[in-house]
Amino acid sequence: MGIEIDDIQSGALRPRPVPYEGEFIFLRVDDRHAGRALLRRLLPTIGGGLAGPGPNEDAWVTVAFTYQGLRALGVRQESLDSFSRPFREGMAARADQIGDVGESAPGNWEPPFGTGEVHIAVSALSPDAARLAKALERARIAFHETPGVELIWQQEVRQLPTGRTTFGFRDGISHPNIEGLGLPGSNPREAPIKAGEFILGYPCETGGLPPMPSPDVLGRNGTYVAVRKIHTKVAAWRRYLRANTSGAEDEALLAAKMVGRWPSGAPLTLTPEHDDPELAADPHRNNDFLYRENDEQGLRCPAGAHIRRVNPRDAAIIGDARMHRLIRRGTTYGPPLPEGVLEDDGADRGLVGVFIGAHLERQFEFIKAEWVNDGNFIGYPGEQDPVAGHHNGTGSVTIPEKPVRRRLRNLPSFVATRGGEYCFLPGLRALRWIAEPQD
């Protein structure tokens, strides 16, 4: 079965541009007729498929809906009931399962996350501010010309001047090899993964069709999206590195051991002793590795390092890593903390993460609960992801070394969840169907 690429929203498939400018916008629908009218106005701004040859083809707008949003738009209950349980319940209701506890619990989230008022999520990404403004211009006109729909939250994102995240690491390097898509994955050694792991209506790795919302026109070519706003505690990160090393080179190595890559993006598995910006800049080499083949014992890249946890590749783990692959998009918000500063300046900075897949429960939620928040699958029970885990000053991380392994203790939390929503990103035909009267 061929993939109907042109019916899939561009935001589901296209890798994030580099550099990038972007914006996330949340809308509340107070009148379903107005909400549908808004969608009809937005439809001409929403593209499908992969990048084309035109100068504006690499700027795109994406529209997704929460469960409450589809209800507010008047989608019939039998269709609403056909969505997956995590989507129907929403991310806030499942916070304990995915580790959003303590300071990251929904009670501490930034409004309107988790309130039920987020109905429509609009995002736009582009290589520069001019093309972003053009992509958003018609969308903004549609918002302002539609009484009964309120803009309730917006967040600008952009690549920092350094080209790296607020923690100082290059991001957006990996992309899965999706069968039939025509867009090569970033790892030349990764066998193609069935399209149904990412897009509804196609066989997945089990050989069957993933459960799909009904009617067929609503579910086909759609996918689920977990949107997360994550605050990064950069000063705490730097202080911990400083306190547990004896100099700048040791700090860089320890940070790389926790992340799994050097700041440039060069993988530890290929260059374990020093950063290699030339390797990092080569898209044909910077993902050309496997763990079991190149680093089975984790002496180069620890099994508990961030990138190895969230994508274990061929490593010997409990379970099948291919069943839990995601499309990940991380975008940075807020100003960088000036180099060398070890005290927090009070600014809000971090990332807006977008995690795309056809199975919320066994992809995003499984990765968060089993791979990020626990270490059983790699033989380190109780150990969390050194970067993304919620440690609260009591965390520990094992770093294999010879002759004696090293164990980091008393890790603080370096991130805090500021909010999240589960969304459904429909195909273009489905968008038109949602926009039409159903009553």
Side-chain angles (χ1 to χ4, degrees), residues 24 26 91 113 121 153 225-229 352-355 419-423:
F24 290 84
F26 288 167
M91 190 182 292
F113 287 104
W153 182 84
V225 181
V227 181
R228 308 264 289 171
K229 181 174 180 179
V352 176
V354 174
F355 307 89
E421 297 287 347
Y422 285 151
C423 298

Side-chain angles (χ1 to χ4, degrees), residues 52-104:
N56 295 313
E57 287 296 313
D58 46 7
W60 61 88
V61 175
T62 303
V63 175
F65 308 89
T66 64
Y67 174 81
Q68 296 298 336
L70 292 174
R71 170 177 279 175
L73 286 164
V75 173
R76 293 190 179 97
Q77 191 62 45
E78 56 264 35
S79 291
L80 296 174
D81 292 342
S82 67
F83 282 90
S84 72
R85 180 179 175 182
F87 175 72
R88 298 195 312 268
E89 293 182 352
M91 190 182 292
R94 301 174 71 84
D96 287 347
Q97 295 174 243
I98 60 176
D100 282 336
V101 296
E103 66 176 330
S104 291

